[in-house]
Structures are given as structure tokens and as C-alpha cells.
Amino acid sequence: MTTMTLPAVTRANPSVFTQLTAAALALLFITLLWSLVDPRLLDDVPVWMKPAKFSLSFVVHFATLALITAALSPASRKSRLIGVAGAVMAVAFLTEMAYLFLQAAQAEHSHFNLSTPFHFMAYQVMGLGAVLLIAMPILVAHVARRETGLGAGTRAGIWWGALVSFGLTLVVAGYMSNGTGHFVGTPSPGAATIPFLGWSAEVGDLRPAHFLSLHALQLLPLIGLWADRTGRPARIIPAAATVYALITFGVFAQALMGLPLIRL
């Protein structure tokens, strides 16, 4: 697999995923800048923190897909599957971020907010968009899986990364979205949290498992690339995917028992 930096991808492969990466970076910059002049809090957290975190997550998500598509042959990059994936993800991304910005501007919750028919409908649309955003990389991975220019380990890593991320996220995020919040238990006022991430260090928190489920898409392709460069067989990828899934389910079960990832 060809190693490319994101600027190189932008020059060599100005795909929809590169453009989406740039858009997410722009939104991240806007949220950080806006937070400097809007100090309002929601549940003791700056109102623009959630849009900022989502923007950063989208930067990683789309940059990963931009790097994958940049490593494909020109014919594969023009695949209809990649075009469909890019278009669907662009609509889902813009819809999701528009609602997050709207709710932050009003200092209202975007998630678990069913207070009015509008908020109920918007939350359902966000859920559908989230499913599409984790499902569409499977189309990209399917194209990459047939790419003879990539090593066997890299192809396996991309394929298993997309599948595992989709499956784990459906379970963890699906469970979380059907509840009333991401905590299992009630944290006391001013309770300790893990720095920057904001995960509870006092009660169970479903977000660490959600984080792990999303980022199989990054880790497993890297393991595949490492396998190709070190001469390891591609069959280690399914084994790595299994271990990763077990770790994620372990963190998920820990949260369901009301235990924090790390107690501070």
C-alpha cells in the first residue's frame, strides 16, 4: 500500500472523501473559534464541545477513506460503489452537522432529546445518518478488497476494519441510542472525568465502547499494512479483528455494570 500524507492525497486524488475531510476540518476550526466568543455551558460542558468532537471524528473518518481511495488504481477510484458511498456520506454528514450546530446555537441537547415532535424526528434522522456513515465504508472496502495493487494483508485489514466497525457500532450505538443517555448510573456533581475525552471516571459510560467500535476502521488496516511490510500472513487479520471485538465488548460490558473505564 502506497504511503501518502493527506496533502499528497489532496493533490493526487481530489476525491469526495478529501473534500469531506477538508469540510470537517473547516467545521472543527469554526467550532473552536466560536467557542472563544460563546462561553455558554450545557451540563457544565461548553455548548460547542459536541460539534467540535464530531467534527474531529469526521476528520479522522473521511481522511481514512481518502487515504484508502488514494491507494487504489484510477479505475477503482472511479467505481460506482465509491461514488455512491461518497454521495450518501456527504448528505449524512452535512445533515448531522447542521443539526448539531443548530442545537449548540440554542444551547440544547442534540442527542437523547425527544422533547418535541421536531426533536424526535431529527433524532431519528440522525440515527439513520449514523448508520449510513458506518455502512458506506463497506462499499469502499469491497472495492479495495479486489484491488490487486494492494497487499493481501492491507486488503484484509480494510475489509475487516469496515465490517467490524459497522457491526460493533450497530450494537453499541444502537443500545445507547435506545436509552436516555450514555451513563450507566448517575455521576455526582463535579465528578471526575477522563481529561479531554470527558468520559466518566465515576460511573459506567458507554462512550469508550462506542469509540472503540468506530475506530476499527483505522486500526485493522494499519495492522494489515504492517503485516504486508513485515511478511506476516494475511490470516492474522481475522484473528486481530476477533481480539478487537472481544476487547470492545469487554469495555461495553464493564460500562453496563456501572463501572468506569478508569476510576479517578
Side-chain angles (χ1 to χ4, degrees), residues 77-91:
R77 286 199 294 269
K78 295 177 183 178
S79 165
R80 179 168 297 187
L81 289 178
I82 289 182
V84 168
V88 170
M89 293 177 77
V91 172

Side-chain angles (χ1 to χ4, degrees), residues 182-187 200 202-208 254-261:
H182 47 73
F183 293 126
V184 180
T186 304
S200 176
E202 181 186 30
V203 299
D205 196 326
L206 298 169
R207 290 175 294 179
Q254 179 180 355
L256 291 177
M257 290 187 289
L259 302 174
L261 181 66

Side-chain angles (χ1 to χ4, degrees), residues 25-261:
L25 276 170
L27 291 180
L28 176 60
F29 176 77
I30 290 170
T31 56
L32 294 177
L33 187 63
W34 210 328
S35 67
L36 297 178
V37 296
D38 185 355
R40 291 176 299 162
L41 301 177
L42 181 62
D43 295 338
D44 297 322
V45 177
V47 294
W48 293 104
M49 179 62 73
K50 178 161 286 191
K53 285 185 175 180
F54 269 72
S55 297
L56 178 59
S57 180
F58 279 126
V59 168
V60 175
H61 193 59
F62 292 136
T64 299
L65 295 172
L67 287 166
I68 291 172
T69 53
L72 303 178
S73 65
S76 294
R77 286 199 294 269
K78 295 177 183 178
S79 165
R80 179 168 297 187
L81 289 178
I82 289 182
V84 168
V88 170
M89 293 177 77
V91 172
F93 160 68
L94 293 174
T95 302
E96 187 129 342
M97 291 306 301
Y99 184 60
L100 288 171
F101 267 67
L102 173 65
Q103 293 302 98
Q106 300 179 94
E108 293 183 356
H109 292 287
S110 54
H111 289 70
F112 311 109
N113 185 349
L114 309 176
S115 57
T116 69
F118 168 75
H119 290 101
F120 178 84
M121 179 191 69
Y123 193 44
Q124 303 309 307
V125 171
M126 282 184 65
L128 174 60
V131 171
L132 293 173
L133 285 161
I134 60 169
M136 290 300 103
I138 296 177
L139 299 184
V140 178
H142 178 67
V143 175
R145 192 184 185 192
R146 300 179 297 176
E147 181 64 55
T148 57
L150 297 177
T154 300
R155 294 198 304 271
I158 293 170
W159 176 245
W160 280 95
L163 289 181
V164 170
S165 182
F166 176 73
L168 292 177
T169 303
L170 274 187
V171 173
V172 177
Y175 179 90
M176 188 162 55
S177 65
N178 286 321
T180 58
H182 47 73
F183 293 126
V184 180
T186 304
S188 56
T193 60
I194 297 176
F196 177 72
L197 297 170
W199 300 339
S200 176
E202 181 186 30
V203 299
D205 196 326
L206 298 169
R207 290 175 294 179
H210 186 35
F211 177 89
L212 289 174
S213 67
L214 288 172
H215 292 296
L217 184 61
Q218 285 75 43
L219 181 63
L220 292 175
L222 287 174
I223 293 175
L225 181 61
W226 167 80
D228 285 336
R229 291 188 171 182
T230 58
R232 266 67 173 185
R235 64 175 178 270
I236 72 170
I237 302 303
T242 300
V243 171
Y244 191 89
L246 290 174
I247 292 172
T248 302
F249 281 127
V251 172
F252 185 45
Q254 179 180 355
L256 291 177
M257 290 187 289
L259 302 174
L261 181 66

